[in-house]
């Protein structure tokens, strides 16, 4: 109890979550008078990041930085415009489609929202869309980032759960496509109700020219995802090749990337990677202490009195994670919940850990779009000037369809595991 209260207190004081986890671990050791555990504290932290699969994280972050500096993101938006045509609500479809393509490269919801808000919201405003709706659609499009591979959250989960990184990345493909199609349905319905403007009409030749000019940027997701699916490379190797390809595309196709930019790009990538990997190291200590304190066993005993089958367990888990995700960012949320819930899911209810991982990640990402915090809404608000609360209300149909998708993912494991069989 003392450890929990201390953790919550320092977290709400604004202390970084990784530091909170380490300090809470030390408090637990002193509270239980298990001083011998202090000797194992540093080795447990080092062991948490001593994993080949984690090398993929800084490489995926590097790819995103190179893309932003090389004008590749803007070309992907132009490519989406070429595919969509003059339909009602066309730019809203472009927004989601471009986010889907960008998600296969960046893998971070908040980074994707920040990038796409700068590009899409002003363009949608020019064509008559309400700024609040435009920003809100961008937020939900950014939700695809941690779901469609590559995904930093799936990499972290695979380390926590000790499952293959490649399996987790593949498990996110069908849920990502499902969410994209459901977002299209929402846009179509809202477009009829609110009479959204049609996209600028272009001839077939103009659209074909746009697609041809922008299509080389698709080399990056094709190399990353295709090499994993084809078994030619593991996620870490594909990320390394993807970083090289993104640099070459930015330098020789878009011609906006310069090698002189590399020092600053590498510095930004290193800083963000260090933050993420420190969280993983802190998670290792936190998980180790949870197991030592038999917290998973106690949680399992309580949940078994409420959930009688795997479906009811997953539905209860959805509610718990959605609440946690509203106040805690995705990776810290994984760190806090996976060590407790995963053993229950696999040992008690015999749920495939890869299926459970998809449900957990989608849940926590949805929390980024939920009050009272809704971090992604605040990111979009900082870029566009729209009000976060109003954004949530205007785009409520997207939130409801995401909840429906979570229920479908919980009921039908094939939606997560279909490509792994």
């Amino acid at each position: 109890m003392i450890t929990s209260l201390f953790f919550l207190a320092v977290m709400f004081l604004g202390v970084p979550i990784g530091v909170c986890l380490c300090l809470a671990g030390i408090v637990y050791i002193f509270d239980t008078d298990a001083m011998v555990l202090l000797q194992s504290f540093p080795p447990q932290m080092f062991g948490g990041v001593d994993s080949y699969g984690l090398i993929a994280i800084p490489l995926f972050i590097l790819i995103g930085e190179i893309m932003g500096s090389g004008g590749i993101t803007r070309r992907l938006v132009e490519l989406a415009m070429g595919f969509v045509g003059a339909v009602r609500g066309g730019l809203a479809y472009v927004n989601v489609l471009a986010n889907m393509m960008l998600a296969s490269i960046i893998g971070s919801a908040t980074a994707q929202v920040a990038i796409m808000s700068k590009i899409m919201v002003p363009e949608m405003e020019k064509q008559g869309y309400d700024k609040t709706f435009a920003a809100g659609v961008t937020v939900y499009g950014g939700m695809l980032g941690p779901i469609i591979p590559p995904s930093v959250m799936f990499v972290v989960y695979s380390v926590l759960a000790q499952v293959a990184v490649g399996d987790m990345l593949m498990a996110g493909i069908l849920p990502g496509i499902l969410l994209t199609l459901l977002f299209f349905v929402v846009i179509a319905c809202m477009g009829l109700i609110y009479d959204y403007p049609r996209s600028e009409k272009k001839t077939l030749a103009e659209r074909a020219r746009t697609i041809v000019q922008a299509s080389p940027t698709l080399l990056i997701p094709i190399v990353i995802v295709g090499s994993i699916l084809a078994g030619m490379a593991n996620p870490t190797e594909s990320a390394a090749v993807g970083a090289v390809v993104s640099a070459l595309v930015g330098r020789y196709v878009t011609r906006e990337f310069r090698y002189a930019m590399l020092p600053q790009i590498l510095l930004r990538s290193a800083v963000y990677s260090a933050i993420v990997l420190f969280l993983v190291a802190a998670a290792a200590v936190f998980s180790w202490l949870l197991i030592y304190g038999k917290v998973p066993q106690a949680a399992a005993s309580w949940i078994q009195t409420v959930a009688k089958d795997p479906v009811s367990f997953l539905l209860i888990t959805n509610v718990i994670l959605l609440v946690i995700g509203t106040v805690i960012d995705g990776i810290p949320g994984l760190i806090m919940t996976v060590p407790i819930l995963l053993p229950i899911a696999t040992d008690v209810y015999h749920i495939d850990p890869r299926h459970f991982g998809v449900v957990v990640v989608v849940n926590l990402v949805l929390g980024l779009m939920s009050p009272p915090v809704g971090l992604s809404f605040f990111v979009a608000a900082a870029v566009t000037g729209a009000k976060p609360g109003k954004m949530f209300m205007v785009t409520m149909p997207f939130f409801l369809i995401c909840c429906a998708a979570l229920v479908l993912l919980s009921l039908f494991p094939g939606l997560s595991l279909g490509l792994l069989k």
Side-chain angles (χ1 to χ4, degrees):
M1 180 61 72
I2 293 175
T3 305
S4 301
L5 292 175
F6 176 83
F7 175 80
L8 292 173
V10 294
M11 185 180 69
F12 284 114
L13 285 173
V15 177
I17 190 70
V19 178
C20 291
L21 291 167
C22 291
L23 291 176
I26 294 171
V27 168
Y28 174 81
I29 290 172
F30 279 96
D31 183 43
T32 57
D33 199 26
M35 305 304 293
V36 69
L37 296 180
L38 283 175
Q39 300 175 5
S40 301
F41 208 90
Q44 288 292 334
M45 289 193 72
F46 176 77
V49 292
D50 186 19
S51 171
Y52 174 74
L54 288 176
I55 300 174
I57 292 177
L59 290 172
F60 285 141
I61 293 170
L62 176 62
I63 291 170
E65 291 290 341
I66 293 174
M67 282 183 55
S69 303
I72 298 171
T73 303
R74 191 176 66 256
R75 292 292 184 92
L76 285 173
V77 173
E78 292 172 359
L79 181 63
M81 287 180 175
F83 280 122
V84 171
V87 297
R88 190 178 303 281
L91 268 187
Y93 289 106
V94 168
N95 196 332
V96 173
L97 185 59
N99 267 294
M100 181 186 182
M101 291 189 288
L102 195 62
S104 64
I105 304 169
I106 291 184
S108 167
T110 50
Q112 193 162 314
V113 168
I115 292 169
M116 294 300 290
S117 293
K118 294 177 186 176
I119 297 172
M120 289 304 306
V121 175
E123 188 65 31
M124 291 180 74
E125 278 191 279
K126 284 181 189 176
Q127 294 205 15
Y129 290 86
D130 175 64
K131 178 168 68 175
T132 303
F133 171 77
V137 170
T138 306
V139 167
Y140 281 98
M143 180 184 177
L144 300 172
I147 299 170
I148 296 176
S151 164
V152 173
M153 286 185 68
F154 276 146
V155 173
V156 173
Y157 175 85
S158 68
V159 173
L160 294 173
Q162 295 297 297
V163 298
V165 177
D167 284 357
M168 284 311 308
L169 295 180
M170 289 179 65
I173 294 176
L174 292 180
I177 293 173
L178 172 65
L179 279 170
T180 302
L181 294 176
L182 291 175
F183 289 164
F184 285 167
V185 171
V186 173
I187 292 169
C189 295
M190 293 182 71
L192 292 173
I193 296 171
Y194 297 106
D195 194 26
Y196 290 144
R198 293 180 180 273
S199 299
E200 180 183 351
K201 191 170 183 178
K202 293 184 178 181
T203 65
L204 189 60
E206 289 174 329
R207 289 171 58 192
R209 186 164 56 251
T210 300
I211 292 171
V212 169
Q213 289 174 348
S215 58
T217 58
L218 288 178
L219 280 172
I220 304 168
I222 288 172
V223 166
I224 295 172
V225 180
S227 60
I228 295 173
L229 292 178
M232 298 171 61
N234 61 40
T236 302
E237 293 165 346
S238 68
V241 176
V244 174
V245 172
S246 61
L248 293 175
V249 169
R251 181 69 183 88
Y252 298 107
V253 177
T254 65
R255 300 181 183 277
E256 294 184 32
F257 172 74
R258 299 188 307 277
Y259 294 120
M261 297 176 176
L262 273 177
Q264 284 297 318
I265 288 174
L266 291 171
L267 178 61
R268 290 195 301 269
S269 301
V271 169
Y272 187 65
S273 300
I275 293 170
V276 174
L277 292 173
F278 178 71
L279 281 170
V280 176
V285 175
F286 192 68
S287 304
W288 167 60
L289 291 173
L290 285 175
I291 294 169
Y292 178 83
K294 299 183 179 179
V295 173
Q297 293 91 322
S301 299
W302 176 79
I303 289 178
Q304 281 182 277
T305 63
V306 181
K308 303 301 181 184
D309 54 70
V311 172
S312 58
F313 166 74
L314 284 174
L315 294 177
I316 292 170
T317 300
N318 283 337
V319 175
I320 294 171
L321 292 175
L322 194 56
V323 172
I324 291 173
T326 60
V327 294
I328 298 176
D329 199 1
I331 292 176
L334 283 176
I335 290 165
M336 292 178 61
T337 57
V338 169
I340 297 174
L341 295 174
L342 180 63
I344 303 171
T346 55
D347 298 340
V348 178
Y349 295 99
H350 308 293
I351 297 170
D352 190 297
R354 298 166 299 181
H355 174 220
F356 185 69
V358 171
V359 173
V360 170
V361 168
V362 174
N363 246 301
L364 292 174
V365 172
L366 184 56
L368 294 173
M369 291 84 182
S370 309
V373 178
L375 180 61
S376 288
F377 282 123
F378 282 96
V379 171
V383 175
T384 65
K387 296 185 181 300
K390 191 176 178 184
M391 257 190 274
F392 177 74
M393 295 306 296
V394 168
T395 55
M396 179 67 77
F398 288 92
F399 180 80
L400 296 176
I401 206 71
C402 287
C403 292
L406 264 176
V407 173
L408 289 175
L409 289 171
S410 301
L411 293 176
F412 303 106
L415 291 175
S416 304
L417 307 177
L419 296 180
L420 298 174
K421 295 179 179 178

